[in-house]
Amino acid sequence: MSFSQDVREELINHYSKQVRCRKAELAAIFMYGSKGLSLDTERGIYIYTDPRSADFRKTFNINGRLDASESIDRIISKPDAKRAFLRGAFIASGTISDPRKDYHFEIACPDKGTAQLIIKTLQYFDIPVKTVKGNSDRVVVYFKDSENISLILNIMEANKAMMEFENIHIERELRGAVNRRVNCDTANINKAIAAGARQVADIELIRDTIGLDDLEDGLRDICTVRLDNPDASLSELAELLTPKVGKSGVNHRLRKISKMAEDIRARAK
């Protein structure tokens, strides 16, 4: 199954102890996807069979029938009922992408009114959302922030899915950090190699034109060490010099060499 199906199955297998929560969840299923919802008049219970999988079935005993005269605001006035309402809305028409590939949570709403109800409920839990127009009058409420996706899973009490999501999220973050570090190290190595090649070319130009013997000791020493170690970093060059100098000292000497090579090239034009 997909991650979205796993979440839906976990929510379908979740049973609330409070009648108000069962009523709120059932109301959401009725509002956002009544297809698959039936009433067993003999037993007085509602049965929801997920159209996407006949294996997903949930029964609701709410001690009576849904009362159309009871406002939805009253039904979901308590925080736990709001959680149940979001749970029902997701069961009916929600999807969540595989966190290994992307971060995306959405609930497809039949119209603007039901979309505003979802937005209002999510905002109660401090989750900012976006909307996009769907087919006909449908409105899709969605968000893509990984932190809020983890939060909504917790709010809906999909605890198993939340732990799986968090583990995948951490793996992605670690993998991304490693890749960034590798890319950074590779870029630094390439930069050092390119700089070393330029410095060797400058030193060879000086050697072949004015010679190295007449350079002051510090410059002559850095030229010799660089020619012998074309791929060494500035820190490594500093360790090879006698007497040793700091990295900034090596950089200062190489800048002088670069300036001398530029002057030679300028005079040759």
Side-chain angles (χ1 to χ4, degrees), residues 99-100 103 145-147 165-181:
R100 295 176 183 84
Y103 298 131
D145 180 76
S146 61
E147 183 177 344
F165 179 89
E166 283 295 318
N167 288 335
I168 295 171
H169 175 62
I170 290 171
E171 288 176 7
R172 284 188 62 178
E173 289 294 304
L174 288 175
R175 192 178 300 114
V178 170
N179 289 338
R180 287 191 294 272
R181 179 60 184 269

PDB file of all heavy atoms in Angstrom, residues 99-100 103 145-147 165-181:
ATOM      1  N   PRO A  99       6.534  10.437   1.880  1.00  0.00           N
ATOM      2  CA  PRO A  99       7.564  11.389   2.339  1.00  0.00           C
ATOM      3  C   PRO A  99       8.958  11.083   1.801  1.00  0.00           C
ATOM      4  O   PRO A  99       9.840  11.929   1.892  1.00  0.00           O
ATOM      5  CB  PRO A  99       7.507  11.252   3.869  1.00  0.00           C
ATOM      6  CG  PRO A  99       6.890   9.913   4.120  1.00  0.00           C
ATOM      7  CD  PRO A  99       5.934   9.685   2.994  1.00  0.00           C
ATOM      8  N   ARG A 100       9.157   9.914   1.237  1.00  0.00           N
ATOM      9  CA  ARG A 100      10.453   9.608   0.614  1.00  0.00           C
ATOM     10  C   ARG A 100      10.645  10.418  -0.659  1.00  0.00           C
ATOM     11  O   ARG A 100      11.771  10.605  -1.113  1.00  0.00           O
ATOM     12  CB  ARG A 100      10.560   8.113   0.294  1.00  0.00           C
ATOM     13  CG  ARG A 100      10.570   7.207   1.514  1.00  0.00           C
ATOM     14  CD  ARG A 100      10.577   5.737   1.096  1.00  0.00           C
ATOM     15  NE  ARG A 100      10.512   4.865   2.252  1.00  0.00           N
ATOM     16  CZ  ARG A 100       9.383   4.524   2.864  1.00  0.00           C
ATOM     17  NH1 ARG A 100       8.228   4.999   2.415  1.00  0.00           N
ATOM     18  NH2 ARG A 100       9.393   3.735   3.914  1.00  0.00           N
ATOM     19  N   TYR A 103       6.752  16.207   0.200  1.00  0.00           N
ATOM     20  CA  TYR A 103       5.928  16.541   1.355  1.00  0.00           C
ATOM     21  C   TYR A 103       4.677  17.262   0.846  1.00  0.00           C
ATOM     22  O   TYR A 103       4.765  18.391   0.355  1.00  0.00           O
ATOM     23  CB  TYR A 103       6.689  17.438   2.332  1.00  0.00           C
ATOM     24  CG  TYR A 103       7.934  16.805   2.914  1.00  0.00           C
ATOM     25  CD1 TYR A 103       9.152  17.490   2.908  1.00  0.00           C
ATOM     26  CD2 TYR A 103       7.902  15.542   3.474  1.00  0.00           C
ATOM     27  CE1 TYR A 103      10.302  16.921   3.449  1.00  0.00           C
ATOM     28  CE2 TYR A 103       9.036  14.962   4.005  1.00  0.00           C
ATOM     29  CZ  TYR A 103      10.237  15.654   3.993  1.00  0.00           C
ATOM     30  OH  TYR A 103      11.365  15.077   4.521  1.00  0.00           O
ATOM     31  N   ASP A 145       4.546  21.781   4.167  1.00  0.00           N
ATOM     32  CA  ASP A 145       5.594  21.873   5.180  1.00  0.00           C
ATOM     33  C   ASP A 145       5.696  20.563   5.963  1.00  0.00           C
ATOM     34  O   ASP A 145       4.696  20.081   6.500  1.00  0.00           O
ATOM     35  CB  ASP A 145       5.289  23.038   6.120  1.00  0.00           C
ATOM     36  CG  ASP A 145       6.337  23.177   7.199  1.00  0.00           C
ATOM     37  OD1 ASP A 145       7.428  23.666   6.887  1.00  0.00           O
ATOM     38  OD2 ASP A 145       6.069  22.776   8.343  1.00  0.00           O
ATOM     39  N   SER A 146       6.882  19.987   6.038  1.00  0.00           N
ATOM     40  CA  SER A 146       7.054  18.690   6.702  1.00  0.00           C
ATOM     41  C   SER A 146       6.691  18.750   8.178  1.00  0.00           C
ATOM     42  O   SER A 146       6.108  17.804   8.736  1.00  0.00           O
ATOM     43  CB  SER A 146       8.503  18.206   6.545  1.00  0.00           C
ATOM     44  OG  SER A 146       9.420  19.119   7.136  1.00  0.00           O
ATOM     45  N   GLU A 147       7.015  19.857   8.837  1.00  0.00           N
ATOM     46  CA  GLU A 147       6.702  19.991  10.264  1.00  0.00           C
ATOM     47  C   GLU A 147       5.195  19.965  10.491  1.00  0.00           C
ATOM     48  O   GLU A 147       4.705  19.317  11.429  1.00  0.00           O
ATOM     49  CB  GLU A 147       7.297  21.292  10.804  1.00  0.00           C
ATOM     50  CG  GLU A 147       7.086  21.491  12.296  1.00  0.00           C
ATOM     51  CD  GLU A 147       7.745  22.749  12.818  1.00  0.00           C
ATOM     52  OE1 GLU A 147       8.615  23.316  12.120  1.00  0.00           O
ATOM     53  OE2 GLU A 147       7.409  23.174  13.937  1.00  0.00           O
ATOM     54  N   PHE A 165       6.738   8.730   9.379  1.00  0.00           N
ATOM     55  CA  PHE A 165       7.014   9.981   8.673  1.00  0.00           C
ATOM     56  C   PHE A 165       8.249  10.663   9.252  1.00  0.00           C
ATOM     57  O   PHE A 165       9.128  11.124   8.512  1.00  0.00           O
ATOM     58  CB  PHE A 165       5.802  10.908   8.776  1.00  0.00           C
ATOM     59  CG  PHE A 165       5.994  12.236   8.094  1.00  0.00           C
ATOM     60  CD1 PHE A 165       5.671  12.389   6.758  1.00  0.00           C
ATOM     61  CD2 PHE A 165       6.504  13.330   8.788  1.00  0.00           C
ATOM     62  CE1 PHE A 165       5.850  13.614   6.119  1.00  0.00           C
ATOM     63  CE2 PHE A 165       6.687  14.544   8.165  1.00  0.00           C
ATOM     64  CZ  PHE A 165       6.365  14.688   6.819  1.00  0.00           C
ATOM     65  N   GLU A 166       8.329  10.736  10.584  1.00  0.00           N
ATOM     66  CA  GLU A 166       9.462  11.382  11.240  1.00  0.00           C
ATOM     67  C   GLU A 166      10.769  10.661  10.930  1.00  0.00           C
ATOM     68  O   GLU A 166      11.799  11.301  10.680  1.00  0.00           O
ATOM     69  CB  GLU A 166       9.238  11.435  12.753  1.00  0.00           C
ATOM     70  CG  GLU A 166       8.263  12.513  13.196  1.00  0.00           C
ATOM     71  CD  GLU A 166       8.791  13.907  12.912  1.00  0.00           C
ATOM     72  OE1 GLU A 166       9.984  14.162  13.142  1.00  0.00           O
ATOM     73  OE2 GLU A 166       8.008  14.745  12.432  1.00  0.00           O
ATOM     74  N   ASN A 167      10.739   9.329  10.940  1.00  0.00           N
ATOM     75  CA  ASN A 167      11.951   8.559  10.639  1.00  0.00           C
ATOM     76  C   ASN A 167      12.423   8.822   9.217  1.00  0.00           C
ATOM     77  O   ASN A 167      13.622   9.019   8.972  1.00  0.00           O
ATOM     78  CB  ASN A 167      11.692   7.058  10.842  1.00  0.00           C
ATOM     79  CG  ASN A 167      11.577   6.673  12.304  1.00  0.00           C
ATOM     80  OD1 ASN A 167      12.111   7.359  13.177  1.00  0.00           O
ATOM     81  ND2 ASN A 167      10.896   5.580  12.579  1.00  0.00           N
ATOM     82  N   ILE A 168      11.484   8.830   8.280  1.00  0.00           N
ATOM     83  CA  ILE A 168      11.834   9.095   6.881  1.00  0.00           C
ATOM     84  C   ILE A 168      12.348  10.522   6.728  1.00  0.00           C
ATOM     85  O   ILE A 168      13.326  10.775   6.004  1.00  0.00           O
ATOM     86  CB  ILE A 168      10.620   8.854   5.970  1.00  0.00           C
ATOM     87  CG1 ILE A 168      10.230   7.376   5.988  1.00  0.00           C
ATOM     88  CG2 ILE A 168      10.914   9.305   4.538  1.00  0.00           C
ATOM     89  CD1 ILE A 168       8.926   7.075   5.290  1.00  0.00           C
ATOM     90  N   HIS A 169      11.690  11.461   7.427  1.00  0.00           N
ATOM     91  CA  HIS A 169      12.109  12.866   7.362  1.00  0.00           C
ATOM     92  C   HIS A 169      13.538  13.033   7.877  1.00  0.00           C
ATOM     93  O   HIS A 169      14.357  13.735   7.261  1.00  0.00           O
ATOM     94  CB  HIS A 169      11.144  13.718   8.180  1.00  0.00           C
ATOM     95  CG  HIS A 169      11.536  15.158   8.294  1.00  0.00           C
ATOM     96  ND1 HIS A 169      11.633  15.989   7.206  1.00  0.00           N
ATOM     97  CD2 HIS A 169      11.882  15.908   9.376  1.00  0.00           C
ATOM     98  CE1 HIS A 169      12.007  17.199   7.595  1.00  0.00           C
ATOM     99  NE2 HIS A 169      12.168  17.166   8.900  1.00  0.00           N
ATOM    100  N   ILE A 170      13.854  12.376   8.991  1.00  0.00           N
ATOM    101  CA  ILE A 170      15.202  12.469   9.558  1.00  0.00           C
ATOM    102  C   ILE A 170      16.224  11.870   8.595  1.00  0.00           C
ATOM    103  O   ILE A 170      17.307  12.447   8.378  1.00  0.00           O
ATOM    104  CB  ILE A 170      15.261  11.750  10.924  1.00  0.00           C
ATOM    105  CG1 ILE A 170      14.452  12.540  11.966  1.00  0.00           C
ATOM    106  CG2 ILE A 170      16.704  11.580  11.395  1.00  0.00           C
ATOM    107  CD1 ILE A 170      14.261  11.809  13.270  1.00  0.00           C
ATOM    108  N   GLU A 171      15.887  10.725   7.988  1.00  0.00           N
ATOM    109  CA  GLU A 171      16.795  10.097   7.027  1.00  0.00           C
ATOM    110  C   GLU A 171      17.057  11.029   5.847  1.00  0.00           C
ATOM    111  O   GLU A 171      18.199  11.162   5.388  1.00  0.00           O
ATOM    112  CB  GLU A 171      16.199   8.782   6.522  1.00  0.00           C
ATOM    113  CG  GLU A 171      16.202   7.668   7.561  1.00  0.00           C
ATOM    114  CD  GLU A 171      15.523   6.414   7.052  1.00  0.00           C
ATOM    115  OE1 GLU A 171      15.165   6.373   5.854  1.00  0.00           O
ATOM    116  OE2 GLU A 171      15.351   5.476   7.849  1.00  0.00           O
ATOM    117  N   ARG A 172      15.985  11.688   5.363  1.00  0.00           N
ATOM    118  CA  ARG A 172      16.149  12.613   4.240  1.00  0.00           C
ATOM    119  C   ARG A 172      17.017  13.804   4.620  1.00  0.00           C
ATOM    120  O   ARG A 172      17.866  14.255   3.835  1.00  0.00           O
ATOM    121  CB  ARG A 172      14.786  13.109   3.765  1.00  0.00           C
ATOM    122  CG  ARG A 172      14.000  12.113   2.941  1.00  0.00           C
ATOM    123  CD  ARG A 172      12.754  12.732   2.344  1.00  0.00           C
ATOM    124  NE  ARG A 172      13.064  13.823   1.426  1.00  0.00           N
ATOM    125  CZ  ARG A 172      12.145  14.507   0.750  1.00  0.00           C
ATOM    126  NH1 ARG A 172      10.864  14.211   0.897  1.00  0.00           N
ATOM    127  NH2 ARG A 172      12.489  15.478  -0.068  1.00  0.00           N
ATOM    128  N   GLU A 173      16.815  14.317   5.832  1.00  0.00           N
ATOM    129  CA  GLU A 173      17.611  15.454   6.291  1.00  0.00           C
ATOM    130  C   GLU A 173      19.078  15.073   6.418  1.00  0.00           C
ATOM    131  O   GLU A 173      19.968  15.839   6.015  1.00  0.00           O
ATOM    132  CB  GLU A 173      17.072  15.955   7.632  1.00  0.00           C
ATOM    133  CG  GLU A 173      15.725  16.657   7.547  1.00  0.00           C
ATOM    134  CD  GLU A 173      15.813  17.956   6.762  1.00  0.00           C
ATOM    135  OE1 GLU A 173      16.639  18.812   7.129  1.00  0.00           O
ATOM    136  OE2 GLU A 173      15.069  18.105   5.778  1.00  0.00           O
ATOM    137  N   LEU A 174      19.346  13.887   6.985  1.00  0.00           N
ATOM    138  CA  LEU A 174      20.730  13.441   7.140  1.00  0.00           C
ATOM    139  C   LEU A 174      21.381  13.210   5.779  1.00  0.00           C
ATOM    140  O   LEU A 174      22.531  13.601   5.560  1.00  0.00           O
ATOM    141  CB  LEU A 174      20.769  12.152   7.967  1.00  0.00           C
ATOM    142  CG  LEU A 174      20.478  12.298   9.464  1.00  0.00           C
ATOM    143  CD1 LEU A 174      20.424  10.928  10.134  1.00  0.00           C
ATOM    144  CD2 LEU A 174      21.525  13.165  10.146  1.00  0.00           C
ATOM    145  N   ARG A 175      20.625  12.574   4.879  1.00  0.00           N
ATOM    146  CA  ARG A 175      21.162  12.324   3.543  1.00  0.00           C
ATOM    147  C   ARG A 175      21.449  13.638   2.826  1.00  0.00           C
ATOM    148  O   ARG A 175      22.479  13.795   2.160  1.00  0.00           O
ATOM    149  CB  ARG A 175      20.161  11.486   2.734  1.00  0.00           C
ATOM    150  CG  ARG A 175      20.750  10.928   1.444  1.00  0.00           C
ATOM    151  CD  ARG A 175      19.729  10.071   0.700  1.00  0.00           C
ATOM    152  NE  ARG A 175      19.285   8.949   1.512  1.00  0.00           N
ATOM    153  CZ  ARG A 175      18.057   8.802   1.968  1.00  0.00           C
ATOM    154  NH1 ARG A 175      17.140   9.726   1.699  1.00  0.00           N
ATOM    155  NH2 ARG A 175      17.718   7.757   2.682  1.00  0.00           N
ATOM    156  N   GLY A 176      20.539  14.599   2.987  1.00  0.00           N
ATOM    157  CA  GLY A 176      20.752  15.905   2.373  1.00  0.00           C
ATOM    158  C   GLY A 176      21.965  16.614   2.938  1.00  0.00           C
ATOM    159  O   GLY A 176      22.741  17.227   2.203  1.00  0.00           O
ATOM    160  N   ALA A 177      22.144  16.512   4.272  1.00  0.00           N
ATOM    161  CA  ALA A 177      23.298  17.154   4.914  1.00  0.00           C
ATOM    162  C   ALA A 177      24.601  16.528   4.433  1.00  0.00           C
ATOM    163  O   ALA A 177      25.584  17.231   4.171  1.00  0.00           O
ATOM    164  CB  ALA A 177      23.176  17.040   6.430  1.00  0.00           C
ATOM    165  N   VAL A 178      24.601  15.187   4.313  1.00  0.00           N
ATOM    166  CA  VAL A 178      25.804  14.497   3.825  1.00  0.00           C
ATOM    167  C   VAL A 178      26.105  14.898   2.396  1.00  0.00           C
ATOM    168  O   VAL A 178      27.263  15.182   2.039  1.00  0.00           O
ATOM    169  CB  VAL A 178      25.617  12.970   3.932  1.00  0.00           C
ATOM    170  CG1 VAL A 178      26.749  12.241   3.199  1.00  0.00           C
ATOM    171  CG2 VAL A 178      25.589  12.534   5.389  1.00  0.00           C
ATOM    172  N   ASN A 179      25.067  14.942   1.556  1.00  0.00           N
ATOM    173  CA  ASN A 179      25.280  15.324   0.157  1.00  0.00           C
ATOM    174  C   ASN A 179      25.795  16.748   0.033  1.00  0.00           C
ATOM    175  O   ASN A 179      26.682  17.027  -0.790  1.00  0.00           O
ATOM    176  CB  ASN A 179      23.981  15.173  -0.633  1.00  0.00           C
ATOM    177  CG  ASN A 179      23.592  13.726  -0.853  1.00  0.00           C
ATOM    178  OD1 ASN A 179      24.447  12.848  -0.788  1.00  0.00           O
ATOM    179  ND2 ASN A 179      22.322  13.471  -1.103  1.00  0.00           N
ATOM    180  N   ARG A 180      25.228  17.646   0.862  1.00  0.00           N
ATOM    181  CA  ARG A 180      25.711  19.034   0.827  1.00  0.00           C
ATOM    182  C   ARG A 180      27.171  19.111   1.262  1.00  0.00           C
ATOM    183  O   ARG A 180      27.960  19.874   0.688  1.00  0.00           O
ATOM    184  CB  ARG A 180      24.836  19.909   1.716  1.00  0.00           C
ATOM    185  CG  ARG A 180      23.457  20.197   1.140  1.00  0.00           C
ATOM    186  CD  ARG A 180      22.731  21.276   1.924  1.00  0.00           C
ATOM    187  NE  ARG A 180      22.417  20.850   3.277  1.00  0.00           N
ATOM    188  CZ  ARG A 180      21.317  20.200   3.619  1.00  0.00           C
ATOM    189  NH1 ARG A 180      20.423  19.878   2.692  1.00  0.00           N
ATOM    190  NH2 ARG A 180      21.103  19.860   4.875  1.00  0.00           N
ATOM    191  N   ARG A 181      27.525  18.324   2.285  1.00  0.00           N
ATOM    192  CA  ARG A 181      28.912  18.332   2.762  1.00  0.00           C
ATOM    193  C   ARG A 181      29.847  17.775   1.691  1.00  0.00           C
ATOM    194  O   ARG A 181      30.930  18.346   1.444  1.00  0.00           O
ATOM    195  CB  ARG A 181      29.016  17.502   4.045  1.00  0.00           C
ATOM    196  CG  ARG A 181      30.438  17.416   4.611  1.00  0.00           C
ATOM    197  CD  ARG A 181      30.984  18.792   4.957  1.00  0.00           C
ATOM    198  NE  ARG A 181      32.349  18.734   5.408  1.00  0.00           N
ATOM    199  CZ  ARG A 181      32.688  18.591   6.700  1.00  0.00           C
ATOM    200  NH1 ARG A 181      31.740  18.492   7.622  1.00  0.00           N
ATOM    201  NH2 ARG A 181      33.950  18.533   7.058  1.00  0.00           N
TER     202      ARG A 181
END
